[in-house]
């Protein structure tokens, strides 16, 4: 059985330090910006946080090479702050990276329980218009999705 309390302490410690790295570049899909929390956690420090939850906000057409407008950035920053308050305040989820490119921003979280994240998302403050979100999750106990699909692009 996983000792979530000790894992939660490592996750929480890293969250409270709130140290980030960032990179930008231009790829086949146009300009891209990525930021990720450091140090990059992995096994055994993440035991119990075996699900990756990807939250995607589509702000422009695919293949448009668009970055968000100032207004869209403000809206997404407000959403991110609310989402982190809802999911990270007690260490339940961990925001590992944020990627912005090709008309979308994607937040990559790891959590032990996706259903609790869904409940908290629905309970958090909303705007008049619903957030334009797509959520997916998958089992990823080694945090390989983060390394293969996000960080590898910016090595």
């Amino acid at each position: 059985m996983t000792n979530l309390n000790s894992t939660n302490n490592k996750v929480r410690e890293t969250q409270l330090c709130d140290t980030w790295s960032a990179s930008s570049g231009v790829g086949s899909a146009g300009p891209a910006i990525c930021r990720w929390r450091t140090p990059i956690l992995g096994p055994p420090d993440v035991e119990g946080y075996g699900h990756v939850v990807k939250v995607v906000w589509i702000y422009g057409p695919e293949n448009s090479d668009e970055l968000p407008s100032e207004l869209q950035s403000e809206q997404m920053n407000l959403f991110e702050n609310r989402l982190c308050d809802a999911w990270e305040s007690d260490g339940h989820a961990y925001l590992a990276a944020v990627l912005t490119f090709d008309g979308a921003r994607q937040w990559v979280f790891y959590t032990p329980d996706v259903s609790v994240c869904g409940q908290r998302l629905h309970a958090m403050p909303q705007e008049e218009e619903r957030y334009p979100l797509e959520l997916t999750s998958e089992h990823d106990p080694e945090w390989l999705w983060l390394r293969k699909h996000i960080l590898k692009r910016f090595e």
Side-chain angles (χ1 to χ4, degrees), residues 26-80:
V26 178
S28 61
I33 302 167
C34 183
R35 61 186 160 93
W36 59 93
R37 186 171 259 141
T38 57
I40 298 167
L41 296 178
D45 295 327
V46 298
E47 187 178 352
Y49 285 73
H51 300 278
V52 61
V53 178
K54 296 164 272 186
V55 181
V56 178
W57 178 312
I58 305 210
Y59 59 81
E62 191 173 351
N63 299 317
S64 66
D65 295 347
E66 283 186 33
L67 289 176
S69 69
E70 187 174 330
L71 176 60
Q72 290 167 326
S73 288
E74 289 173 12
Q75 293 169 332
M76 287 186 280
N77 290 340
L78 175 62
F79 168 75
E80 180 178 325

Side-chain angles (χ1 to χ4, degrees), residues 16-147:
L16 292 173
C17 290
D18 204 29
T19 304
W20 291 82
S21 292
S23 183
S24 62
V26 178
S28 61
I33 302 167
C34 183
R35 61 186 160 93
W36 59 93
R37 186 171 259 141
T38 57
I40 298 167
L41 296 178
D45 295 327
V46 298
E47 187 178 352
Y49 285 73
H51 300 278
V52 61
V53 178
K54 296 164 272 186
V55 181
V56 178
W57 178 312
I58 305 210
Y59 59 81
E62 191 173 351
N63 299 317
S64 66
D65 295 347
E66 283 186 33
L67 289 176
S69 69
E70 187 174 330
L71 176 60
Q72 290 167 326
S73 288
E74 289 173 12
Q75 293 169 332
M76 287 186 280
N77 290 340
L78 175 62
F79 168 75
E80 180 178 325
N81 289 336
R82 288 178 175 171
L83 188 60
C84 287
D85 286 346
W87 287 8
E88 284 196 323
S89 62
D90 61 356
H92 177 74
Y94 179 86
L95 179 58
V98 182
L99 181 62
T100 305
F101 79 106
D102 198 23
R105 178 165 295 168
Q106 180 177 86
W107 293 270
V108 178
F109 285 87
Y110 281 87
T111 183
D113 191 333
V114 174
S115 65
V116 170
C117 289
Q119 292 165 6
R120 291 179 180 192
L121 175 65
H122 290 290
M124 72 180 225
Q126 304 285 323
E127 301 303 314
E128 272 186 45
E129 283 189 41
R130 298 189 64 77
Y131 295 118
L133 303 176
E134 295 177 5
L135 278 79
T136 59
S137 68
E138 60 190 79
H139 188 67
D140 182 18
E142 304 288 318
W143 291 29
L144 295 176
W145 199 92
L146 172 68
R147 286 173 176 74

